[in-house]
Amino acid sequence: MKKQLLLLLMAVVGLYMVACQSQDGATPSSDGDLEAIQVSAARTAADSTTKTKCKGKLTPIDSTALPSKVISYITTNYAGAQVKFAATDSLGQYVVGISLNSTHTGLLFDASGNFIQIIEKYGKKAKLTAVDITTLPASVTSYVTTNYSGYTIKKAGTNADGNLFVGIANDTTRVVLIFDSAGTFVKVADIPPMNGGRGKGKGRGH
């Protein structure tokens, strides 16, 4: 009888631990919230700085879908860099935003994965300056409270244009909102897929 009670107790404790781990895993981490707004800023920067170099709207892709030539170029010339954003345009050209030692760089490759040039002005637009969430304008916090009930503001930062990126999350979902310098809502930012996003990862050969 004692053995059965002991086994039952162990089973209950095991189920409790699994339940706790599941809850912990469902809650977006602080690092994840920061990553989300950084990647969103990179996406926004790419859209605004590649208009003269790329054809058509950029389509985000996972970093693992980049050609091996692109991955090799980044690994050779920017060892240790993280891919923050990757996309293609209507011509099949690749736009890649990377970060190395807090420096953001935009790179343009042709459809075969050959390097073309560095994208000017990308770095400044992609970089975010952290903002204490307790100092956010009342219009921002009010917008979140009104439109995203149950969400909590996790991280915030501004880019070179003065736009404010605000990362919010509930138990399962992470969202990045963009406001202008006056605190007026602009749009919900895209969070493109990155799948870990390290430049030294495997790429798709062409």
Side-chain angles (χ1 to χ4, degrees):
M1 183 69 177
K2 290 183 178 180
K3 184 176 181 181
Q4 291 178 333
L5 288 174
L6 179 60
L7 290 173
L8 179 61
L9 178 60
M10 291 174 65
V12 171
V13 171
L15 287 173
Y16 176 76
M17 291 179 67
V18 170
C20 288
Q21 290 173 350
S22 297
Q23 287 181 340
D24 290 342
T27 303
S29 68
S30 178
D31 288 343
D33 297 318
L34 179 61
E35 180 72 3
I37 64 171
Q38 288 178 334
V39 173
S40 296
R43 163 67 194 270
T44 302
D47 279 341
S48 64
T49 59
T50 59
K51 291 179 180 178
T52 59
K53 304 297 180 183
C54 301
K55 301 297 181 182
K57 184 176 178 63
L58 295 179
T59 301
I61 61 173
D62 195 281
S63 60
T64 59
L66 290 169
S68 56
K69 281 186 178 181
V70 172
I71 298 298
S72 178
Y73 181 89
I74 294 173
T75 302
T76 301
N77 296 279
Y78 299 91
Q82 285 188 314
V83 176
K84 293 296 185 180
F85 174 75
T88 58
D89 64 9
S90 61
L91 295 180
Q93 296 182 124
Y94 293 92
V95 176
V96 183
I98 62 173
S99 177
L100 178 62
N101 299 325
S102 298
T103 298
H104 298 266
T105 305
L107 306 173
L108 180 64
F109 300 84
D110 66 20
S112 296
N114 298 305
F115 174 71
I116 298 176
Q117 67 179 77
I118 292 176
I119 300 172
E120 299 297 333
K121 300 182 180 180
Y122 171 88
K124 290 183 179 180
K125 291 180 179 291
K127 184 178 180 180
L128 287 178
T129 300
V131 172
D132 187 336
I133 60 176
T134 62
T135 65
L136 291 173
S139 58
V140 171
T141 55
S142 177
Y143 183 89
V144 174
T145 301
T146 301
N147 297 279
Y148 290 89
S149 176
Y151 283 74
T152 302
I153 296 176
K154 299 293 186 178
K155 296 285 183 179
T158 55
N159 66 5
D161 293 332
N163 291 322
L164 180 64
F165 289 72
V166 180
I168 63 175
N170 59 17
D171 289 340
T172 59
T173 306
R174 185 179 290 119
V175 179
V176 177
L177 308 174
I178 301 179
F179 299 82
D180 64 19
S181 57
T184 302
F185 175 73
V186 176
K187 65 176 181 178
V188 176
D190 292 317
I191 305 177
M194 279 294 98
N195 192 38
R198 291 198 177 278
K200 57 185 179 183
K202 294 181 181 179
R204 172 173 56 84
H206 274 242

